[in-house]
Coordinates of all heavy atoms in Angstrom, one line a residue:
L1 N -7.8 51.9 -39.5 CA -7.4 53.0 -40.4 C -6.1 52.6 -41.1 O -6.0 53.0 -42.3 CB -7.1 54.3 -39.5 CG -8.3 54.9 -38.8 CD1 -8.0 56.1 -37.9 CD2 -9.4 55.3 -39.9
C2 N -5.2 52.0 -40.5 CA -3.9 51.6 -41.1 C -4.3 50.7 -42.4 O -3.7 50.9 -43.5 CB -3.0 50.7 -40.2 SG -2.4 51.6 -38.9
A3 N -5.1 49.7 -42.2 CA -5.5 48.8 -43.2 C -6.2 49.5 -44.4 O -6.0 49.3 -45.5 CB -6.3 47.7 -42.7
K4 N -7.2 50.4 -44.0 CA -7.9 51.2 -45.0 C -7.0 52.0 -45.8 O -7.3 52.2 -47.0 CB -9.0 52.1 -44.3 CG -10.2 51.3 -43.7 CD -11.0 50.7 -44.8 CE -11.8 51.8 -45.6 NZ -12.7 51.3 -46.7
A5 N -6.0 52.6 -45.2 CA -5.0 53.4 -46.0 C -4.1 52.6 -46.8 O -3.4 53.2 -47.6 CB -4.2 54.3 -45.0
G6 N -4.0 51.3 -46.6 CA -3.2 50.4 -47.5 C -1.9 50.0 -46.9 O -1.0 49.6 -47.7
A7 N -1.6 50.2 -45.7 CA -0.3 49.9 -45.1 C 0.0 48.4 -45.3 O -0.9 47.5 -45.2 CB -0.3 50.2 -43.5
K8 N 1.2 48.0 -45.6 CA 1.6 46.6 -45.7 C 1.6 46.0 -44.3 O 1.3 44.8 -44.2 CB 3.0 46.5 -46.4 CG 3.4 45.0 -46.5 CD 4.7 44.8 -47.3 CE 4.9 43.3 -47.5 NZ 6.2 43.0 -48.4
Y9 N 2.1 46.7 -43.3 CA 2.2 46.2 -42.0 C 1.5 47.1 -41.0 O 1.5 48.4 -41.2 CB 3.6 46.0 -41.5 CG 4.4 45.0 -42.4 CD1 5.4 45.5 -43.2 CD2 4.3 43.7 -42.3 CE1 6.2 44.7 -44.0 CE2 5.0 42.8 -43.0 CZ 6.0 43.3 -43.9 OH 6.8 42.4 -44.6
V10 N 0.9 46.6 -39.9 CA 0.5 47.4 -38.8 C 1.2 46.8 -37.6 O 1.3 45.6 -37.4 CB -1.1 47.3 -38.6 CG1 -1.5 45.8 -38.4 CG2 -1.5 48.1 -37.4
S11 N 1.7 47.7 -36.7 CA 2.6 47.3 -35.6 C 1.9 47.6 -34.2 O 2.2 48.7 -33.7 CB 4.0 48.0 -35.7 OG 4.7 47.5 -36.8
P12 N 1.1 46.7 -33.7 CA 0.7 46.9 -32.3 C 1.8 46.6 -31.3 O 2.5 45.7 -31.5 CB -0.5 45.9 -32.2 CG -0.1 44.8 -33.2 CD 0.6 45.5 -34.3
F13 N 1.9 47.5 -30.3 CA 3.0 47.4 -29.4 C 2.6 46.6 -28.1 O 2.1 47.1 -27.1 CB 3.5 48.8 -29.0 CG 4.4 49.4 -29.9 CD1 4.3 49.3 -31.3 CD2 5.5 50.2 -29.4 CE1 5.1 49.9 -32.2 CE2 6.4 50.8 -30.3 CZ 6.2 50.6 -31.7
V14 N 2.9 45.3 -28.2 CA 2.4 44.3 -27.1 C 3.0 44.7 -25.8 O 2.3 44.8 -24.8 CB 2.8 42.9 -27.6 CG1 2.5 41.9 -26.4 CG2 2.1 42.5 -28.8
G15 N 4.3 44.9 -25.7 CA 5.0 45.0 -24.4 C 4.5 46.3 -23.8 O 4.2 46.4 -22.6
R16 N 4.4 47.4 -24.5 CA 4.0 48.7 -24.0 C 2.5 48.7 -23.5 O 2.2 49.3 -22.5 CB 4.1 49.8 -25.0 CG 5.6 50.1 -25.3 CD 5.8 51.4 -26.0 NE 7.1 51.5 -26.7 CZ 7.5 52.6 -27.3 NH1 6.7 53.7 -27.4 NH2 8.7 52.6 -27.9
I17 N 1.7 47.9 -24.1 CA 0.3 47.7 -23.7 C 0.3 47.0 -22.4 O -0.4 47.3 -21.4 CB -0.6 47.0 -24.8 CG1 -0.7 47.9 -26.0 CG2 -1.9 46.7 -24.2 CD1 -1.4 47.3 -27.1
D18 N 1.1 45.9 -22.3 CA 1.2 45.2 -21.0 C 1.6 46.1 -19.9 O 1.2 45.9 -18.8 CB 2.2 44.0 -21.2 CG 1.7 42.8 -21.9 OD1 0.5 42.9 -22.5 OD2 2.4 41.9 -22.1
D19 N 2.5 47.0 -20.2 CA 3.0 47.9 -19.1 C 1.9 48.8 -18.5 O 2.0 49.2 -17.4 CB 4.1 48.9 -19.7 CG 5.3 48.2 -20.1 OD1 5.6 47.0 -19.6 OD2 6.1 48.8 -20.8
T20 N 0.8 48.9 -19.3 CA -0.4 49.7 -18.7 C -1.4 48.9 -18.0 O -2.4 49.4 -17.5 CB -1.1 50.5 -19.9 OG1 -1.8 49.5 -20.7 CG2 -0.1 51.3 -20.7
G21 N -1.1 47.6 -17.9 CA -2.0 46.7 -17.2 C -3.0 46.0 -18.1 O -3.8 45.2 -17.6
W22 N -3.0 46.2 -19.4 CA -3.8 45.5 -20.4 C -3.0 44.4 -21.1 O -1.8 44.3 -20.9 CB -4.4 46.5 -21.4 CG -5.3 47.5 -20.8 CD1 -4.9 48.7 -20.2 CD2 -6.7 47.4 -20.6 NE1 -6.0 49.4 -19.7 CE2 -7.1 48.6 -19.9 CE3 -7.6 46.4 -20.9 CZ2 -8.5 48.8 -19.6 CZ3 -9.0 46.7 -20.6 CH2 -9.4 47.8 -20.0
D23 N -3.7 43.6 -21.9 CA -3.1 42.5 -22.5 C -2.8 42.8 -24.0 O -3.7 42.8 -24.8 CB -4.0 41.2 -22.4 CG -3.4 39.9 -22.9 OD1 -2.3 40.0 -23.5 OD2 -3.9 38.8 -22.6
G24 N -1.5 43.0 -24.3 CA -1.1 43.4 -25.6 C -1.4 42.2 -26.6 O -1.7 42.5 -27.8
V25 N -1.2 41.0 -26.2 CA -1.5 39.9 -27.2 C -2.9 39.8 -27.5 O -3.3 39.5 -28.6 CB -1.0 38.6 -26.5 CG1 -1.4 37.4 -27.5 CG2 0.5 38.6 -26.3
Q26 N -3.8 40.2 -26.6 CA -5.3 40.2 -26.8 C -5.6 41.2 -28.0 O -6.4 40.9 -28.8 CB -6.0 40.5 -25.6 CG -7.6 40.3 -25.7 CD -8.2 40.6 -24.4 OE1 -8.1 41.7 -23.8 NE2 -8.9 39.5 -23.9
L27 N -4.9 42.3 -28.0 CA -5.1 43.3 -29.1 C -4.6 42.7 -30.4 O -5.3 42.9 -31.4 CB -4.3 44.6 -28.8 CG -4.3 45.6 -29.9 CD1 -5.8 46.1 -30.2 CD2 -3.4 46.8 -29.6
V28 N -3.5 42.0 -30.4 CA -3.1 41.3 -31.6 C -4.1 40.4 -32.2 O -4.5 40.3 -33.3 CB -1.7 40.6 -31.4 CG1 -1.3 39.7 -32.6 CG2 -0.6 41.5 -31.0
E29 N -4.7 39.6 -31.2 CA -5.7 38.6 -31.6 C -6.9 39.4 -32.2 O -7.5 38.9 -33.2 CB -6.1 37.8 -30.4 CG -7.1 36.7 -30.7 CD -7.4 35.9 -29.4 OE1 -7.2 36.4 -28.3 OE2 -7.9 34.8 -29.6
Q30 N -7.3 40.5 -31.6 CA -8.5 41.2 -32.1 C -8.2 41.8 -33.5 O -9.1 41.7 -34.3 CB -8.7 42.4 -31.1 CG -10.0 43.2 -31.5 CD -10.2 44.4 -30.5 OE1 -9.2 44.9 -29.9 NE2 -11.5 44.8 -30.3
I31 N -7.0 42.3 -33.7 CA -6.8 42.9 -35.0 C -6.7 41.8 -36.1 O -7.2 41.9 -37.2 CB -5.4 43.7 -35.0 CG1 -5.5 44.8 -34.0 CG2 -5.0 44.1 -36.4 CD1 -4.1 45.5 -33.8
V32 N -6.1 40.6 -35.8 CA -6.0 39.5 -36.7 C -7.4 39.1 -37.0 O -7.7 38.8 -38.2 CB -5.2 38.4 -36.1 CG1 -5.4 37.1 -36.9 CG2 -3.7 38.7 -36.0
H33 N -8.4 39.0 -36.0 CA -9.7 38.7 -36.3 C -10.4 39.6 -37.2 O -11.1 39.2 -38.2 CB -10.5 38.5 -35.0 CG -11.9 38.2 -35.2 ND1 -12.4 37.0 -35.6 CD2 -13.0 39.0 -35.0 CE1 -13.7 37.1 -35.6 NE2 -14.1 38.3 -35.3
I34 N -10.3 40.9 -36.9 CA -10.9 42.0 -37.7 C -10.5 41.9 -39.1 O -11.2 42.0 -40.1 CB -10.7 43.4 -37.1 CG1 -11.4 43.5 -35.8 CG2 -11.1 44.5 -38.1 CD1 -11.1 44.8 -35.0
Y35 N -9.1 41.8 -39.3 CA -8.6 41.8 -40.6 C -9.1 40.6 -41.4 O -9.4 40.7 -42.6 CB -7.1 41.7 -40.6 CG -6.4 43.1 -40.3 CD1 -7.1 44.2 -39.9 CD2 -5.0 43.3 -40.4 CE1 -6.5 45.4 -39.7 CE2 -4.4 44.5 -40.2 CZ -5.2 45.6 -39.8 OH -4.6 46.8 -39.6
G36 N -9.2 39.4 -40.8 CA -9.8 38.2 -41.4 C -11.2 38.4 -41.8 O -11.6 38.0 -43.0
V37 N -12.0 39.0 -40.9 CA -13.5 39.2 -41.2 C -13.6 40.2 -42.4 O -14.5 39.9 -43.3 CB -14.2 39.7 -40.0 CG1 -15.5 40.2 -40.3 CG2 -14.2 38.6 -38.9
Q38 N -12.8 41.2 -42.4 CA -12.9 42.3 -43.4 C -12.2 42.0 -44.7 O -12.3 42.7 -45.7 CB -12.5 43.6 -42.8 CG -13.4 44.0 -41.6 CD -14.9 44.3 -42.1 OE1 -15.1 44.7 -43.2 NE2 -15.8 44.0 -41.2
G39 N -11.3 41.0 -44.7 CA -10.5 40.7 -45.9 C -9.4 41.7 -46.1 O -8.9 41.9 -47.3
F40 N -8.9 42.4 -45.1 CA -7.8 43.3 -45.2 C -6.5 42.6 -45.5 O -6.3 41.5 -45.0 CB -7.6 44.2 -44.0 CG -8.7 45.2 -43.7 CD1 -9.2 45.4 -42.4 CD2 -9.2 46.0 -44.8 CE1 -10.2 46.3 -42.2 CE2 -10.2 46.9 -44.5 CZ -10.7 47.1 -43.2
K41 N -5.7 43.1 -46.4 CA -4.5 42.5 -46.8 C -3.3 42.9 -45.9 O -2.2 42.3 -45.9 CB -4.1 42.8 -48.2 CG -5.2 42.4 -49.2 CD -5.4 40.9 -49.2 CE -6.5 40.5 -50.2 NZ -6.8 39.1 -50.1
T42 N -3.5 43.9 -45.0 CA -2.4 44.4 -44.1 C -2.0 43.2 -43.2 O -2.8 42.6 -42.7 CB -2.9 45.6 -43.3 OG1 -3.2 46.6 -44.3 CG2 -1.8 46.1 -42.4
Q43 N -0.7 43.1 -43.0 CA -0.2 42.1 -42.1 C 0.0 42.6 -40.7 O 0.5 43.7 -40.6 CB 1.2 41.5 -42.7 CG 1.1 40.8 -44.0 CD 2.4 40.3 -44.5 OE1 3.1 39.7 -43.7 NE2 2.6 40.5 -45.7
V44 N -0.3 41.8 -39.7 CA -0.2 42.2 -38.3 C 1.2 41.9 -37.9 O 1.6 40.7 -37.8 CB -1.2 41.5 -37.4 CG1 -1.1 42.0 -35.9 CG2 -2.6 41.8 -37.9

């Protein structure tokens, strides 16, 4: 949604995700992959 709206940056919160027991870096990787596939210009 951030990318579709045209944000220059999207800020996933790695440390806070880690605090919940999930892997925040994995989310960064997923977003980078999606943006690459879709050609979004928003920076992660």
